[in-house]
Amino acid sequence: MSKKRLVTVDIDIGGTFTDCFVRYGDQFVISKSPTTTYDLSVGFIRAIENGADLLDLAIDELLEETKVIRYSTTVAMNKLIERKGPRLGFITTEGFEDILHIGRGSQWADGISALESRKIHKVDKPKPLIPRENVVGVKERIDSKGEVLRPLDEEDFKEKLQYLVDQGVMGFVVSTLWSFKNPVHEKRIKKLISEEYPEYYLGNMPVVLSSEVLPKRFEYTRSNVAILNAYLHQSIAEEVSNIGDELRELGYKNSLLMVHNTGGMAEYLRTSAVNTYNGGPVAGIIGAAEVGKIYDHPNIVVADMGGTSFDIGLVVDGQTNTYEFKPVIDTWSVDLTMLESKSIGTGGGSIARVNEELGGRLEVGPESAGSFPGPVAYDQGGTEPTVTDADLILGYLNPKFFHGGNFDLNLEKAKKAIEEKIAKPLGVDVYEAAHLIKQVCDGNMANIIQKETALQGYDPKEFVVLALGGAGPVHSAGFASQAEIPKTIIMQQSPVFCAYSSSMMDIMHIYEQSEHIKLLEAGKKVYLSDYNGFNQIVNELKEKAIRDIEGEGFSKDTIEYQLELDMKFGGQLNIKRTIAPKINIHSHEDVENLIESFTKQYAEAYSPIAVFPEGGVEIENFILKATIPQEKHDIPKVEYRGEDARGAIKGKRNAYWSKEDGFIETDVYDLDKLEYGNKVAGPALIESPHTTIVVPPNAIYEVDQYLNGSITVKVGAFV
Amino acid sequence: MIDYEVLERIDPEPKTEFEQISMDSLNIGEYEIYSEKLNQLVLEAKEVLTKVGISSMLHSGDVIVGLYTAKGDLVAAYCGVYLHAVTTQIVIKYILKHYKDDPTIGINEGDIFYANEALLGGVHNPDQVAVMPIFHEGEIVAWSATAVHQPETGAIEPGGMPVSARSRADEGMKLPPIKLGENYMIKQDLLNMMENMVYRAPRMQVVDTKARVAACDRLRVRVQELIKKKGVKLVTGVMRRMLEVAEEGARKRIASWQDGTYRSVSFMDTIGIEDSLLRCKLTLTKKGDKLTFDFTGSSPENDGSFNSFLHVVRAHIAIYLFGVPFSDLPTSSGIFSPIEVIVPKGTFLNANDDASVANSPVTNSVSLSTVSNAFAKMMYASGEREMPTSGFGAGGGAIVAAGANQWGVPFSDMLANVLNSEGGGARTDRDGNNSFGFPWGWWGKGPDAEDMENEQPHVHVYFKHWKDSGGFGKYRGGAGTNVAWAVQSVPSLIYQSIAKNHKVPTVQGLFGGYPPASHPGLKVVNSNYFEKMKNGDKDIPSSTTDLIENKGIDGDYIVERSIRPATSVKQGDIFVGNSLGGAGYGDVLDRDPELVMKDLKEELISEKTAKNLYKVIYDPETFTIDREATEKAREKERKARISRGKPYDEFVKEWEKQKPAEEALTYYGKWPTAEKTREIVRM
């Protein structure tokens, strides 16, 4: 074995499956294992073991050669959607106890569509993560200059702390006014909590300070970020420490990186919980853009159907660097830099039910059976019929070849569940019931695709779907055609695409700090002359970056820095994020260049008409990006072998395509035997150990030079 | 100069042959995709507007970006405030009618028009609008427009909405549509003129004027790009279809409601400079697919600043229609085709040309309230249970601060956190939202305290929900907020408030629900606030109730009208403001006692309210409800009500004898019919 070959492992922990992508020199393998929600490290290690098996290696042999392990997780998102976080207390400045609940007024509009938000008689503010009765206001006040206006009343605070403890809170979030300017009171509060309630007394109760999590102006968004971190902290912390321990025991000594929603990643111990929110889907968007370059498809709907959720992201004109303009996590406004993606609760594990209250309407999701107990067919105690159960009954899934035959599916139990819970109440037979479940599920997914394309002003016909996730290729022809997108690409890596994508990402940390600096005085030609104030902030952020990145085992010499500044013309409330030409300033010329650069970027983004340097030029926030570029790989090409795909047929199976035709004997192909140029006309089923590609009637599957495939469906065809 | 014919032209212009051909040539699916595309373009331009501008009203959502047909009909708008979207049609139609063929003006590619004259399509002077024609091969094919409320106009008081204005002469800069620029460039001389006229906040005027134009131009560019890609027919066809879809949808929906006459009355308690009751009377008639809003019987105009013009009333009706019954239809003027609005000239809702309309939107909170209540009745009669709501708080808690800020720059701006947090009306099945938003533009965001303190030289003493402010009922109106500012780093600051309802709430409850509470104006002068803060005293107030009840701060407490002309407040002194709660729904005795306890825990109601009004008996330490005792107390109250009751005829007889005190009727008109009783002479 050559020690020079590059070996990397990428993992994406989804709600149902843990996906693994191993690059082993010129080879790559993909593997999966059910997500073990009771202890995520178990599924994590199993997925790597499965990958090692495919390379004929023992896991410790693989890990010994592995240079880096990267992973993304949806645990944070699931905890939030399910509202299963800990009971927290919120400590703020007295007189401002309602900041979370006032939420700048129209908080109800955050995280919902423009159309929904027009119905003002229907909208509701979100249920707070911290109920108002668990909020206390402390007697203290810092002003806008960072000076103490009112000292912290410690005696009063201790009484309020006692009240919160009596309420049974399991953690504290501290966010006082102007704490990012002067965190003295927040820090003192943390100390008082630890003095009053040492760890042994309360156990592992986090105290999260807003000034540490996000030292930026705006108490509402800063508080939300701090709360989300505290709310998600415990689950993330437990998860990563278990995974870290397991890997160490297996002899792995290199970096363990977590994918961030910024589009970068960092060492797991230096990752805050909010940054992991949506990490997998964000990685998928970056990976999709890379794939788009190969295929010359600038517009891609990245549609990832896993066991629990359906995530979509857009690549438009080849770009992925569009950050959320008004970033919202669930329904909470946050002032964070994060890439955009959307999610609904529809997946293979989504539970189907007949809603008697709504006139016997068939509904699919958002509740999921997860991977434990999972769909009824998993035979692990699940009793609620799911989408996977329906797919099995329809003949799309092979009960003996699920996950390559490692996992038998129980068709009879699935049938019984759908028969009793869906078919009988609806008065249809079990096959029609299963087909209805698939159609409702596909319709749900098509709706969100349409919402994100047509309703955003893009023409879906100009897009292709990149179908990801284990269940994606089973349903992609269905949801894409309903969303009027004629073509779907299915990569070999589709079943583990988010994991695959993280192998294409760079290590990146983002550090932010609010500081009001005037570069140019209003109405005068007076420029900033105190360069130290500016440089000191940059240098402090750089020091943080070096500390983190060296801690991750990289040399500080490999770091590439980019400084972005939130800038504005004097008096404006809004800022424009501007890439600074240099990260430090040392001369009048540097200041002028920075102003010129801001003015240029401002004019390009908005209009030259709006430029107004006479009003002064000011900086509000510093954002330092520290990147360690990672090695990228090409996908190997193969030779053309002709259209005839018959050599890949491995058998036949009855599959159900419509109520009219019922079951049709359908060819089953082996995905691994299909070659460049092969064409498979539907109806057909193409199997691999990780997924089944469902090619309905009216559709055709073609294999390209990278051994990836595409399904083309007649738009509007009934599939 | 004034053209009443144009002022009436709010519904769509007749369809042209080209529009018909364009509509006919649309392929299946093109309307769905490209109507949404136009909405997205409007949204993009709106982002430019809010990113570039300065004034807090931009961020509060008192803005629109609109796309209009070649003839000036609204087809898509980001709102903001539907008001401007509707009235800006008049500006465009005026320009087309009077300037197009005028050789001294004309309409050319690259022209930028600008206006704020209330009688020529404005609302009141602060609302300034930029308009640009969109050309294709030498022909006007559409118009883009942006409007933002400017919190300074160079009027007799700072803030753009002078409470003490007596006539239009007191209102500051008034621009009929002017050509502000040519060849996509703003003329510096005209910008200088504006700067000079709006001398209290010149920087804000210049930047926000540029912001309006920049956003308008962005929409112009994007529409031209779309035309280049998809052809002028597609864009024209989609725009006309948007008008027709709205009209068809509106007619269909109106037809589905119960024919009938529905009445509603609301009151104002001020004309600005002095207090008086004013009546707004609405008779809403629904027949077939048509609606008629008739405001006959409303009080006569006054010589204060609380008057309005007819087109502004129409635009306020649109706020309700687009927000509730037509919230799923395109935001286009098509909805106006089946609607007639009657407002007799000489009433305060349709005053004569010289009347001050400085506070016309706040005046029209009576329109919002009466329209909402009359509609609720019609919805009930039609079997619709989801749409009716009690009135949303609409006190117009606009408080202005002006002076030099801590950075030495002159400013005059709205304190928008309180403005954006009025309470939502109670629904038929649940409470209204607390601190719901800004009733004229619901989606606006209030700034954070840190945001305001960064640019304004005062500190917030507190900003929180105002206890007992939401109208009580089976379902409670959403709470409003209360706030206090202490002047910090400058010797003094000017404050002004146009918030009304310090005596009589305008908004009414439904089916026994209470109206929201009223709130007086309050100041503490010669205060020792900062000294107490420095000392770390324990008794510094954290709400207005606390401030008044405990008087922890030494100083002179001045209780006054909520509406306050510009006044200087010294360093260390405290100015108090509030937003209104929403109105309640249903009988207080039907409120679930658990909800009453929840309100108590969340400090939304007082113990007094829980006990005396909701009649809930509970343990104040543990909030445990004594259900039996509660039921008994409620039963007792029900019996007491019966014993206080009277036969209907007897009640009417007594009620008709009731009359408010004479001093409350100065501007009301003749009691009770509100007919005109005197001539108003303005100078």
Side-chain angles (χ1 to χ4, degrees):
Chain A
M1 253 183 268
S2 161
K3 286 284 172 190
K4 280 181 187 166
R5 95 185 113 216
L6 180 67
V7 180
T8 59
V9 173
D10 290 273
I11 301 276
D12 177 40
I13 304 179
T16 314
F17 283 103
T18 298
D19 299 341
C20 176
F21 175 80
V22 181
R23 190 185 297 282
Y24 191 74
D26 292 337
Q27 294 182 66
F28 70 84
V29 294
I30 62 176
S31 61
K32 274 176 178 277
S33 179
T35 295
T36 44
T37 35
Y38 59 90
D39 178 358
L40 295 167
S41 67
V42 176
F44 189 101
I45 299 297
R46 273 186 201 153
I48 302 177
E49 265 169 1
N50 292 346
D53 269 359
L54 294 170
L55 293 162
D56 286 329
L57 294 170
I59 184 168
D60 49 353
E61 287 174 324
L62 176 66
L63 289 176
E64 195 193 335
E65 280 193 79
T66 303
K67 191 179 166 197
V68 61
I69 298 177
R70 295 166 280 224
Y71 89 102
S72 52
T73 175
T74 56
V75 170
M77 181 145 60
N78 294 342
K79 290 278 170 198
L80 204 54
I81 291 170
E82 293 164 9
R83 289 286 164 91
K84 283 186 180 164
R87 195 174 167 83
L88 298 170
F90 183 66
I91 298 160
T92 188
T93 306
E94 190 178 73
F96 297 85
E97 293 87 346
D98 289 321
I99 50 173
L100 305 174
H101 311 87
I102 292 173
R104 296 178 176 166
S106 59
Q107 187 186 38
W108 43 266
D110 298 338
I112 63 171
S113 71
L115 210 59
E116 286 171 283
S117 74
R118 271 186 63 190
K119 300 178 171 63
I120 60 121
H121 53 298
K122 285 190 179 172
V123 294
D124 287 298
K125 288 196 169 187
K127 187 177 170 221
L129 293 176
I130 301 183
R132 175 62 172 79
E133 62 201 82
N134 290 349
V135 176
V136 296
V138 295
K139 297 180 188 299
E140 68 81 41
R141 186 70 147 93
I142 309 283
D143 73 7
S144 62
K145 296 185 202 78
E147 285 164 15
V148 175
L149 267 188
R150 183 187 197 181
L152 175 68
D153 184 335
E154 298 192 359
E155 191 188 341
D156 171 74
F157 169 66
K158 286 178 193 167
E159 279 171 27
K160 286 169 176 161
L161 177 62
Q162 183 61 49
Y163 164 81
L164 287 178
V165 171
D166 291 347
Q167 294 291 307
V169 305
M170 300 297 291
F172 304 94
V173 178
V174 191
S175 181
T176 57
L177 288 185
W178 294 102
S179 62
F180 69 94
K181 270 269 188 194
N182 181 355
V184 59
H185 290 164
E186 284 197 359
K187 285 188 168 156
R188 182 65 191 148
I189 286 169
K190 186 173 186 173
K191 187 133 198 302
L192 287 171
I193 295 174
S194 66
E195 281 170 14
E196 291 289 302
Y197 297 101
E199 204 170 293
Y200 63 84
Y201 188 87
L202 287 174
N204 185 23
M205 299 218 319
V207 180
V208 174
L209 305 186
S210 76
S211 54
E212 283 177 3
V213 172
L214 185 71
K216 283 175 80 177
R217 190 150 59 91
F218 301 134
E219 66 270 15
Y220 178 58
T221 42
R222 188 174 68 245
S223 301
N224 279 344
V225 171
I227 289 169
L228 287 165
N229 251 336
Y231 197 73
L232 303 171
H233 166 84
Q234 210 161 342
S235 34
I236 297 284
E238 281 168 12
E239 175 188 327
V240 295
S241 71
N242 286 348
I243 289 169
D245 291 350
E246 290 281 336
L247 288 173
R248 268 193 298 279
E249 275 177 32
L250 288 163
Y252 178 68
K253 293 183 191 70
N254 292 326
S255 293
L256 175 60
L257 304 176
M258 284 187 90
V259 173
H260 290 187
N261 49 23
T262 54
M265 56 193 172
E267 183 70 29
Y268 73 107
L269 292 172
R270 288 175 174 79
T271 293
S272 66
V274 283
N275 282 334
T276 70
Y277 179 87
N278 234 17
V282 161
I285 298 168
I286 289 176
E290 294 292 322
V291 170
K293 281 181 202 158
I294 300 168
Y295 286 103
D296 199 21
H297 283 309
N299 300 320
I300 302 173
V301 175
V302 190
D304 184 350
M305 183 179 178
T308 318
S309 64
F310 180 66
D311 304 314
I312 80 158
L314 292 189
V315 178
V316 179
D317 291 334
Q319 299 298 311
T320 61
N321 57 350
T322 34
Y323 293 109
E324 297 269 5
F325 177 64
K326 286 179 186 153
V328 171
I329 290 183
D330 192 19
T331 52
W332 311 106
S333 277
V334 291
D335 192 11
L336 290 170
T337 304
M338 55 194 250
L339 285 178
E340 202 169 353
S341 85
K342 296 277 180 301
S343 181
I344 56 167
T346 298
S350 289
I351 293 171
R353 68 186 189 113
V354 175
N355 187 336
E356 297 295 350
E357 282 173 10
L358 291 177
R361 193 173 73 168
L362 176 64
E363 293 174 348
V364 179
E367 296 82 9
S368 170
S371 55
F372 284 102
V376 179
Y378 284 14
D379 213 358
Q380 293 175 150
T383 54
E384 300 302 320
T386 65
V387 171
T388 298
D389 295 314
D391 291 340
L392 178 65
I393 292 168
L394 294 171
Y396 301 155
L397 301 181
N398 182 347
K400 298 289 173 204
F401 195 65
F402 195 58
H403 289 279
N406 291 326
F407 199 92
D408 277 1
L409 296 177
N410 190 326
L411 175 62
E412 287 316 308
K413 282 200 173 171
K415 263 189 185 171
K416 200 169 162 239
I418 291 191
E419 174 76 50
E420 280 176 14
K421 301 208 166 164
I422 309 293
K424 275 188 191 163
L426 291 180
V428 297
D429 70 32
V430 66
Y431 304 108
E432 201 181 336
H435 197 235
L436 281 171
I437 291 172
K438 178 179 182 286
Q439 284 182 310
V440 170
C441 168
D442 289 354
N444 288 347
M445 296 186 286
N447 281 344
I448 186 168
I449 292 177
Q450 285 229 303
K451 219 174 179 176
E452 294 305 308
T453 53
L455 296 187
Q456 298 289 338
Y458 303 121
D459 186 345
K461 291 186 201 72
E462 292 172 2
F463 282 75
V464 294
V465 165
L466 182 65
L468 313 180
V474 180
H475 287 262
S476 61
F479 63 71
S481 66
Q482 284 202 39
E484 297 184 15
I485 299 182
K487 190 175 172 184
T488 306
I489 294 176
I490 297 162
M491 304 270 294
Q492 290 183 81
Q493 297 87 354
S494 277
V496 299
F497 194 80
C498 293
Y500 168 63
S501 296
S502 58
S503 76
M504 292 185 267
M505 290 169 74
D506 293 327
I507 291 172
M508 180 175 74
H509 287 260
I510 295 183
Y511 301 89
E512 307 189 35
Q513 171 76 47
S514 278
E515 192 64 48
H516 183 88
I517 288 181
K518 277 188 181 183
L519 287 175
L520 176 63
E521 299 264 349
K524 302 169 202 162
K525 285 275 171 198
V526 180
Y527 290 83
L528 177 78
S529 54
D530 169 25
Y531 309 140
N532 284 343
F534 182 102
N535 292 333
Q536 198 185 330
I537 295 160
V538 174
N539 293 342
E540 280 169 14
L541 295 176
K542 254 175 96 175
E543 277 166 28
K544 279 188 192 175
I546 291 169
R547 201 169 57 222
D548 284 348
I549 285 173
E550 284 187 337
E552 289 173 357
F554 297 95
S555 157
K556 67 177 181 184
D557 302 332
T558 58
I559 305 175
E560 290 178 5
Y561 293 104
Q562 185 181 50
L563 179 67
E564 296 183 357
L565 298 166
D566 286 340
M567 296 174 67
K568 60 179 196 178
F569 292 114
Q572 284 182 325
L573 288 176
N574 266 320
I575 40 88
K576 163 86 186 89
R577 184 150 309 174
T578 304
I579 299 170
K582 290 167 83 176
I583 70 165
N584 288 107
I585 50 176
H586 300 293
S587 64
H588 176 72
E589 197 189 349
D590 287 347
V591 176
E592 276 195 325
N593 285 344
L594 178 55
I595 292 172
E596 194 188 316
S597 180
F598 161 67
T599 308
K600 189 165 168 277
Q601 291 177 51
Y602 189 92
E604 279 168 8
Y606 304 126
S607 163
I609 295 170
V611 166
F612 187 57
E614 299 86 339
V617 176
E618 297 163 7
I619 297 171
E620 289 294 346
N621 300 307
F622 286 70
I623 303 100
L624 186 74
K625 287 186 180 172
T627 305
I628 309 276
Q630 300 293 291
E631 204 176 329
K632 307 285 192 306
H633 295 264
D634 291 332
I635 312 177
K637 290 183 190 175
V638 296
E639 277 183 31
Y640 182 74
R641 302 284 185 186
E643 290 188 5
D644 191 350
R646 279 177 298 182
I649 295 179
K650 61 185 256 197
K652 287 180 188 298
R653 186 156 79 234
N654 278 336
Y656 187 100
W657 299 103
S658 67
K659 192 184 168 189
E660 292 71 30
D661 297 335
F663 279 91
I664 296 177
E665 193 178 54
T666 304
D667 287 333
V668 181
Y669 292 77
D670 183 345
L671 179 68
D672 292 342
K673 290 191 177 157
L674 285 172
E675 296 179 304
Y676 173 27
N678 286 182
K679 286 188 178 175
V680 177
L685 299 166
I686 303 169
E687 289 184 351
S688 84
H690 302 293
T691 189
T692 302
I693 300 166
V694 172
V695 189
N698 295 319
I700 189 156
Y701 179 85
E702 293 173 76
V703 183
D704 66 28
Q705 57 189 332
Y706 303 106
L707 288 179
N708 296 325
S710 61
I711 303 177
T712 311
V713 183
K714 197 177 155 196
V715 170
F718 182 74
V719 292
Chain B
M1 186 178 73
I2 310 298
D3 183 338
Y4 293 105
E5 187 272 331
V6 173
L7 275 175
E8 287 289 315
R9 276 166 46 193
I10 279 181
D11 24 322
E13 301 293 317
K15 189 165 29 181
T16 64
E17 201 179 323
F18 182 65
E19 284 177 322
Q20 185 63 54
I21 293 168
S22 300
M23 272 207 314
D24 293 345
S25 69
L26 290 177
N27 292 317
I28 293 168
E30 282 180 336
Y31 169 72
E32 288 74 10
I33 293 170
Y34 293 101
S35 59
E36 201 48 48
K37 179 82 183 172
L38 294 178
N39 286 331
Q40 291 299 320
L41 299 186
V42 164
L43 194 63
E44 180 185 333
K46 174 254 166 187
E47 297 302 351
V48 170
L49 180 59
T50 48
K51 281 286 190 181
V52 172
I54 287 187
S55 98
S56 61
M57 294 307 277
L58 263 165
H59 304 275
S60 306
D62 199 347
V63 300
I64 63 108
V65 175
L67 177 66
Y68 300 78
T69 63
K71 287 188 167 182
D73 291 319
L74 171 70
V75 290
Y78 170 84
C79 303
V81 175
Y82 290 123
L83 286 183
H84 312 314
V86 174
T87 61
T88 301
Q89 298 184 119
I90 297 167
V91 178
I92 298 170
K93 291 180 183 184
Y94 185 91
I95 292 169
L96 282 165
K97 183 173 171 183
H98 294 281
Y99 293 177
K100 193 161 183 274
D101 300 321
D102 184 330
T104 68
I105 311 173
I107 305 173
N108 302 305
E109 188 152 8
D111 282 352
I112 302 160
F113 292 93
Y114 204 84
N116 76 330
E117 169 56 56
L119 278 163
L120 294 173
V123 174
H124 57 160
N125 285 23
D127 293 332
Q128 302 179 14
V129 50
V131 173
M132 287 179 81
I134 302 175
F135 276 81
H136 176 69
E137 293 176 353
E139 295 286 326
I140 299 171
V141 291
W143 291 79
S144 66
T146 51
V148 185
H149 180 112
Q150 195 72 28
E152 178 52 41
T153 58
I156 50 165
E157 283 178 49
M161 294 183 285
V163 169
S164 49
R166 288 285 193 182
S167 80
R168 297 219 62 212
D170 297 335
E171 295 179 350
M173 182 175 84
K174 286 190 296 181
L175 303 173
I178 59 165
K179 197 183 273 190
L180 180 67
E182 288 173 327
N183 298 318
Y184 308 112
M185 283 184 291
I186 300 174
K187 291 182 192 164
Q188 190 57 43
D189 54 345
L190 294 179
L191 216 48
N192 292 348
M193 175 195 80
M194 286 186 194
E195 229 180 329
N196 198 38
M197 289 166 108
V198 186
Y199 66 98
R200 288 191 195 98
R203 181 172 79 170
M204 192 178 275
Q205 178 64 42
V206 172
V207 175
D208 286 348
T209 301
K210 288 183 167 197
R212 288 179 188 92
V213 175
C216 216
D217 194 46
R218 173 63 63 94
L219 181 57
R220 190 267 311 167
V221 168
R222 291 289 187 251
V223 172
Q224 282 179 335
E225 281 172 2
L226 185 64
I227 290 173
K228 205 172 161 194
K229 199 170 157 195
K230 295 287 172 185
V232 68
K233 255 189 186 172
L234 178 132
V235 174
T236 307
V238 168
M239 289 201 297
R240 188 71 212 188
R241 186 91 193 94
M242 288 170 92
L243 289 175
E244 303 210 340
V245 165
E247 178 177 342
E248 285 162 19
R251 283 191 190 279
K252 213 169 141 189
R253 195 148 305 160
I254 294 168
S256 74
W257 297 328
Q258 180 65 46
D259 279 356
T261 303
Y262 307 91
R263 294 187 179 87
S264 173
V265 172
S266 282
F267 296 91
M268 295 277 294
D269 58 3
T270 186
I271 65 155
I273 203 77
E274 53 189 301
D275 289 346
S276 169
L277 278 178
L278 300 177
R279 177 170 83 162
C280 170
K281 186 181 174 201
L282 168 64
T283 308
L284 171 65
T285 309
K286 187 263 157 180
K287 198 172 176 201
D289 62 1
K290 286 190 177 148
L291 286 175
T292 306
F293 295 82
D294 184 352
F295 289 90
T296 304
S298 297
S299 289
E301 65 178 87
N302 57 70
D303 59 355
S305 58
F306 280 65
N307 293 293
S308 164
F309 298 134
L310 184 147
H311 64 279
V312 182
V313 177
R314 289 185 92 163
H316 276 83
I317 293 170
I319 292 183
Y320 180 80
L321 295 178
F322 281 131
V324 183
F326 300 155
S327 57
D328 52 347
L329 299 180
T331 315
S332 88
S333 66
I335 68 149
F336 289 107
S337 293
I339 288 169
E340 189 187 1
V341 180
I342 301 164
V343 191
K345 193 80 183 165
T347 59
F348 77 111
L349 295 173
N350 189 10
N352 281 297
D353 298 355
D354 57 349
S356 170
V357 290
N359 288 300
S360 77
V362 189
T363 304
N364 271 289
S365 59
V366 289
S367 319
L368 294 176
S369 172
T370 50
V371 170
S372 169
N373 273 17
F375 250 82
K377 292 175 186 177
M378 181 162 67
M379 292 301 104
Y380 258 87
S382 310
E384 170 66 59
R385 290 290 179 271
E386 218 179 19
M387 250 182 244
T389 67
S390 296
F392 283 55
I399 293 168
V400 171
N405 74 4
Q406 63 266 52
W407 314 105
V409 177
F411 81 106
S412 171
D413 208 354
M414 204 76 81
L415 303 177
N417 49 1
V418 62
L419 186 73
N420 278 281
S421 56
E422 303 218 56
R427 276 76 65 91
T428 56
D429 59 351
R430 60 197 193 278
D431 291 346
N433 281 289
N434 300 320
S435 49
F436 182 78
F438 175 52
W440 284 264
W442 292 292
W443 307 270
K445 297 277 180 210
D448 286 5
E450 286 174 359
D451 202 3
M452 294 165 72
E453 291 177 10
N454 197 45
E455 292 290 342
Q456 298 163 357
H458 49 195
V459 295
H460 289 74
V461 179
Y462 51 81
F463 174 55
K464 65 198 293 192
H465 283 139
W466 167 25
K467 207 180 264 185
D468 284 336
S469 59
F472 313 120
K474 178 181 180 184
Y475 297 111
R476 179 180 46 73
T481 55
N482 54 188
V483 64
W485 297 275
V487 178
Q488 188 194 19
S489 42
V490 290
S492 69
L493 205 55
I494 306 284
Y495 286 86
Q496 182 230 32
S497 160
I498 62 157
K500 58 183 189 333
N501 289 164
H502 49 284
K503 288 180 175 159
V504 179
T506 293
V507 179
Q508 306 292 317
L510 273 182
F511 302 110
Y514 280 53
S518 54
H519 193 301
L522 186 65
K523 268 201 308 260
V524 185
V525 299
N526 305 318
S527 111
N528 61 346
Y529 171 72
F530 283 109
E531 192 187 318
K532 287 180 74 72
M533 290 287 276
K534 200 175 167 192
N535 294 341
D537 289 355
K538 285 190 184 296
D539 57 350
I540 297 167
S542 66
S543 71
T544 303
T545 312
D546 190 2
L547 175 73
I548 298 167
E549 284 182 356
N550 303 319
K551 290 205 168 65
I553 293 172
D554 291 344
D556 302 321
Y557 284 64
I558 298 170
V559 178
E560 53 194 353
R561 300 155 70 231
S562 171
I563 187 159
R564 286 161 278 183
T567 173
S568 174
V569 179
K570 282 189 305 187
Q571 189 177 46
D573 289 353
I574 293 172
F575 191 89
V576 176
N578 71 287
S579 67
L580 277 198
Y585 170 91
D587 187 352
V588 285
L589 297 182
D590 288 340
R591 185 163 179 79
D592 183 344
E594 294 287 356
L595 289 178
V596 176
M597 291 302 102
K598 187 167 179 279
D599 285 350
L600 264 181
K601 287 185 208 166
E602 297 183 353
E603 298 184 49
L604 293 170
I605 60 168
S606 60
E607 293 199 8
K608 201 169 139 190
T609 301
K611 283 177 191 159
N612 298 351
L613 198 78
Y614 287 114
K615 305 285 180 194
V616 178
I617 314 297
Y618 63 97
D619 179 336
E621 292 294 313
T622 62
F623 297 107
T624 312
I625 301 162
D626 184 337
R627 291 195 171 270
E628 207 176 309
T630 299
E631 205 29 64
K632 268 189 193 157
R634 288 184 163 187
E635 201 43 47
K636 193 177 159 199
E637 177 58 24
R638 285 190 186 98
K639 282 187 179 141
R641 284 178 180 178
I642 292 168
S643 70
R644 291 196 297 270
K646 291 185 180 108
Y648 183 69
D649 289 345
E650 206 179 301
F651 162 76
V652 170
K653 231 175 176 178
E654 278 184 28
W655 184 251
E656 282 180 338
K657 282 185 209 152
Q658 306 273 351
K659 186 184 176 191
E662 278 304 328
E663 67 260 33
L665 297 173
T666 319
Y667 293 93
Y668 178 91
K670 189 177 162 193
W671 179 261
T673 51
E675 284 146 21
K676 185 172 154 185
T677 50
R678 58 169 163 166
E679 291 302 322
I680 301 237
V681 180
R682 297 189 182 90
M683 287 180 280

